[in-house]
Amino acid sequence: MAHSRLEKIGTIYTRITGLIRAGSMSLEDRPLWYEVYQAFPPKYPPRYDRPAPVEPVRNIFYPEDVIRAKFYKSVKNVPSVNLSDRSRPSLCQKCIELCTKLQKENNLELNEAFDQALNTILSEAETKSASKQESESTVGSDIKLANQTTIN
Amino acid sequence: MANVLRTFSRWINTNRVSKDSIKINSLWNRSLATEAAVLEKSSNLQEADKLSALEHEDFFNLKPSFTIKQLFDARVHFGHKEGTLDPKMKPFIFGSRLGHIIFDLDSTAELLFAALNFTAHIAYRDGIILFVSQNPQTSYLIECTANDCKEFAHTRLWRQGTFTNSTMIYGAVTRLPDLVIVLNTLTTVLEQHPVIAEAAKMAIPVIGIVDSNCNPNLITYPIPGNDDTPTAVELYCKLFKNAILAVNTRWLTIILSREMVWDGSHKKTGELSSIF
């Protein structure tokens, strides 16, 4: 098939159209995609020299990012998080939720609301871990007892 | 029904290359139950039958095949770090989150649909589709996808001239693919896959997943999105496979809906040419 191999000039469609118009390619020899391209032209013409826009990349920030930053500044040992488990919110997410709730309900300032929220969240986490340890230790003693009975 | 398929296959054997026999066989193998289900499919398809394939904007009913939530869950929106951004990708990105590029999934969904639609139309016209990637992590998946939809894959080192010098390389005149789907447009961190320039030289349209560090200019139907994460690549493969296999379903509905016309009179040539 005789056609231009200069991929940097025009698009595949304009090159084939030019060949057909000039008579060097008969209409029967047109590529299979020709009509499909005509019916559904791409949104951006695939030209090699399509210029890039000059606008700067915008930054994505959310209002709650302030709370997030405060949280990670004040909490040094963040517990590990399972990223694929979306049912359980992380400690930071809980803090953000509580903080915004306190801000709305009690008309508190951001700093006050954040301190309250952080205290409640941390104390909750502590009590949870303490109860977990307790239950583990009781299970351990049960096993010990069981072992003793089998030995006896 | 059998009569129709026989005339259909005879027609196709005289006009097309050997690849068609696979598609005819897959039509034969369908059970009667699936045929009935196809006939009762949504009204969108029945409406589409009234128009010719290219007049309808979604002839293969591909719009419902994915949602933006699915794209998000497959982590399609994650780009690379801001420093590696190719400025030509700017129209497709939403912004930068603490130094990481995030894609605009609205534009991704629009372009992905255009690409899927184009793929299905090429498959409908019995074009050869070639899946290309040089990422070792996903090459097996891509080869399996190509195998499942009876198309072709190239996931190894690309020899210069595979398209442009195919007659010499294969020792005979070779039919080149009619569409190239590139699932990773880079070979190394910096270099573009040579298939893109070669396909552009040979006037073969290219569909490509372009990450934030890729150049989308020579790609006919670019799909901005994450090309490194396995879940994202799995989603793309699944969608392209669906689009190609949707064509078989359309063939069957068309054949069954024209059965009445064909059985009565013997105006086969006229009817067939109106389909193709």
Side-chain angles (χ1 to χ4, degrees):
Chain A
M1 192 165 65
H3 65 74
S4 166
R5 291 192 171 189
L6 297 172
E7 84 274 17
K8 295 183 182 175
I9 297 168
T11 69
I12 51 169
Y13 180 75
T14 56
R15 269 176 266 141
I16 295 291
T17 311
L19 288 172
I20 292 169
R21 201 194 301 135
S24 45
M25 180 188 279
S26 64
L27 202 60
E28 288 87 67
D29 291 340
R30 72 191 182 284
L32 195 131
W33 51 263
Y34 192 72
E35 272 98 9
V36 185
Y37 189 106
Q38 228 167 17
F40 305 103
K43 194 179 173 189
Y44 303 93
R47 293 175 61 92
Y48 181 81
D49 51 0
R50 181 153 46 96
V54 277
E55 86 238 19
V57 179
R58 68 168 163 181
N59 284 311
I60 306 171
F61 285 121
Y62 302 97
E64 67 264 25
D65 280 347
V66 183
I67 307 170
R68 205 168 272 133
K70 273 175 174 295
F71 177 84
Y72 285 112
K73 223 173 217 174
S74 46
V75 180
K76 292 289 178 237
N77 293 325
V78 187
S80 56
V81 182
N82 182 3
L83 288 175
S84 56
D85 182 12
R86 292 194 187 171
S87 57
R88 260 182 282 174
S90 71
L91 212 57
C92 182
Q93 277 169 314
K94 276 183 201 164
C95 184
I96 289 167
E97 223 168 83
L98 193 62
C99 187
T100 44
K101 199 178 148 194
L102 286 174
Q103 262 184 303
K104 258 186 202 169
E105 285 179 358
N106 304 352
N107 277 334
L108 290 176
E109 286 222 351
L110 178 70
N111 284 335
E112 267 182 80
F114 175 74
D115 288 338
Q116 280 188 21
L118 189 67
N119 281 335
T120 41
I121 293 283
L122 287 182
S123 58
E124 253 178 45
E126 259 175 43
T127 48
K128 221 180 223 176
S129 63
S131 61
K132 209 178 180 186
Q133 271 181 355
E134 261 178 37
S135 65
E136 269 172 18
S137 61
T138 50
V139 168
S141 58
D142 280 348
I143 291 168
K144 266 182 200 164
L145 276 178
N147 281 345
Q148 277 176 351
T149 48
T150 45
I151 288 163
N152 288 340
Chain B
M1 179 67 210
N3 222 354
V4 178
L5 276 178
R6 214 169 299 126
T7 48
F8 170 68
S9 67
R10 199 188 311 137
W11 185 86
I12 228 156
N13 284 338
T14 53
N15 285 276
R16 304 271 162 156
V17 275
S18 58
K19 194 175 154 270
D20 294 308
S21 59
I22 302 163
K23 286 189 176 162
I24 302 299
N25 281 337
S26 69
L27 284 179
W28 274 111
N29 290 337
R30 277 176 193 267
S31 67
L32 282 172
T34 51
E35 284 174 18
V38 163
L39 268 184
E40 286 166 11
K41 258 216 156 158
S42 63
S43 60
N44 187 17
L45 287 185
Q46 282 164 7
E47 264 175 45
D49 278 334
K50 289 172 194 160
L51 300 166
S52 81
L54 290 177
E55 283 166 23
H56 196 276
E57 62 157 3
D58 188 8
F59 188 66
F60 301 99
N61 205 17
L62 293 171
K63 265 212 173 115
S65 69
F66 68 94
T67 59
I68 289 182
K69 177 82 170 58
Q70 268 178 320
L71 295 179
F72 182 84
D73 287 339
R75 293 159 228 173
V76 171
H77 60 294
F78 290 131
H80 288 259
K81 296 268 290 195
E82 205 179 329
T84 62
L85 172 70
D86 191 311
K88 294 172 198 101
M89 286 301 293
K90 275 182 186 171
F92 311 120
I93 65 172
F94 183 72
S96 156
R97 172 71 178 167
L98 306 175
H100 288 270
I101 295 297
I102 300 295
F103 286 108
D104 181 6
L105 284 185
D106 286 327
S107 89
T108 298
E110 186 190 346
L111 294 166
L112 177 58
F113 168 70
L116 290 175
N117 190 39
F118 190 81
T119 312
H121 273 286
I122 294 293
Y124 187 64
R125 287 155 177 260
D126 261 323
I128 292 176
I129 296 168
L130 178 70
F131 290 84
V132 177
S133 167
Q134 213 161 287
N135 184 1
Q137 199 181 2
T138 53
S139 58
Y140 179 67
L141 171 71
I142 290 161
E143 283 175 347
C144 286
T145 309
N147 196 21
D148 287 348
C149 39
K150 309 274 190 286
E151 298 294 349
F152 302 87
H154 188 296
T155 56
R156 311 300 156 99
L157 186 71
W158 184 268
R159 284 163 74 198
Q160 204 71 43
T162 305
F163 283 171
T164 48
N165 197 21
S166 60
T167 314
M168 292 301 284
I169 284 183
Y170 297 110
V173 176
T174 312
R175 183 178 168 185
L176 294 177
D178 298 291
L179 171 65
V180 176
I181 299 174
V182 189
L183 288 134
N184 195 336
T185 60
L186 298 176
T187 50
T188 64
V189 183
L190 297 171
E191 276 165 285
Q192 196 178 40
H193 200 298
V195 73
I196 293 160
E198 284 200 19
K201 278 185 203 293
M202 305 311 287
I204 299 167
V206 178
I207 288 172
I209 312 290
V210 279
D211 211 328
S212 65
N213 57 349
C214 303
N215 179 0
N217 276 13
L218 267 184
I219 293 160
T220 324
Y221 292 91
I223 304 165
N226 183 357
D227 64 1
D228 298 290
T229 309
T231 49
V233 180
E234 271 165 33
L235 180 71
Y236 304 135
C237 283
K238 197 187 90 189
L239 291 177
F240 280 116
K241 193 170 125 186
N242 280 351
I244 293 167
L245 295 182
V247 175
N248 281 351
T249 322
R250 294 298 283 134
W251 268 122
L252 207 66
T253 46
I254 288 168
I255 290 167
L256 292 178
S257 65
R258 308 224 168 193
E259 191 177 8
M260 304 281 280
V261 187
W262 288 357
D263 269 1
S265 60
H266 288 278
K267 286 186 277 176
K268 281 162 213 149
T269 47
E271 285 296 324
L272 277 168
S273 63
S274 74
I275 296 175
F276 285 96

